[in-house]
Amino acid sequence: GGDRIVAGAYSKLFDAVLGDITLKTSSVVTAVELDRSGAIVELEDGERLRCDAVVLTVPIGVLKGGSIDFRPGLPNVNRVAIERLGAGVMDKLWLSFDEAFWPADAELFQWIDPGRPGLWAEWVNGNHYLDKPLLLGFNAGSIARDFGRKSDQQVLESAMVTLEAMFA
């Protein structure tokens, strides 16, 4: 399907499907060991969890860094994929307004800045998904890296200049 916006906490995604399954979040995993009866997950604080199955979600940088000891080691096809995968920078900026000054029913807006293509190129319309006057703007790659060196005020001003150009 298409893209979706989660209203509220991401934990709501799991509430309906977990049942009596334990969900452990915000825990630093140091090892995952598979054996005949399932898996043992070792945490940074020394806790060891016996599991029937494990769904481990970590950024690609964690896998590349090797800070999780997989026992037995990951298959070669997985190790090669981890080596080859890259990671880039993508920043998101949520803006809240008193009322929508843009087409309230559109799902998203795309924009090509004549002076710097890629700058604030995509916006998600929070009004469409959440019934609130919110916009979510994106920057990626070199633009996101440049914005990482700017103040919050400079980023906000840039976004507002773009929105003014888009909807004036």
Side-chain angles (χ1 to χ4, degrees), residues 3 102-103 106-114 116-125 129 135-139 162-163 165-167:
D3 293 333
W102 58 88
E107 291 183 41
L108 62 94
F109 308 101
Q110 293 182 319
W111 169 256
I112 298 175
D113 186 299
R116 190 167 181 194
L119 177 66
W120 299 113
E122 187 168 271
W123 294 85
V124 174
N125 181 6
Y129 292 99
L135 288 173
L136 170 60
F138 295 94
N139 280 303
T162 296
L163 291 173
M166 290 171 64
F167 297 110

Side-chain angles (χ1 to χ4, degrees), residues 93-105:
L93 175 68
W94 278 102
L95 298 173
S96 175
F97 298 92
D98 292 332
E99 59 186 48
F101 54 84
W102 58 88
D105 58 342

Side-chain angles (χ1 to χ4, degrees), residues 26-29 55-68 70 74 78 81-83 85-90:
S26 302
S27 301
V28 177
V29 174
V55 176
L56 180 70
T57 59
V58 296
I60 187 65
V62 171
L63 293 174
K64 285 180 171 284
S67 61
I68 300 174
F70 291 96
L74 292 174
N78 296 100
I82 290 167
E83 278 179 34
L85 276 173
V89 179
M90 179 150 92

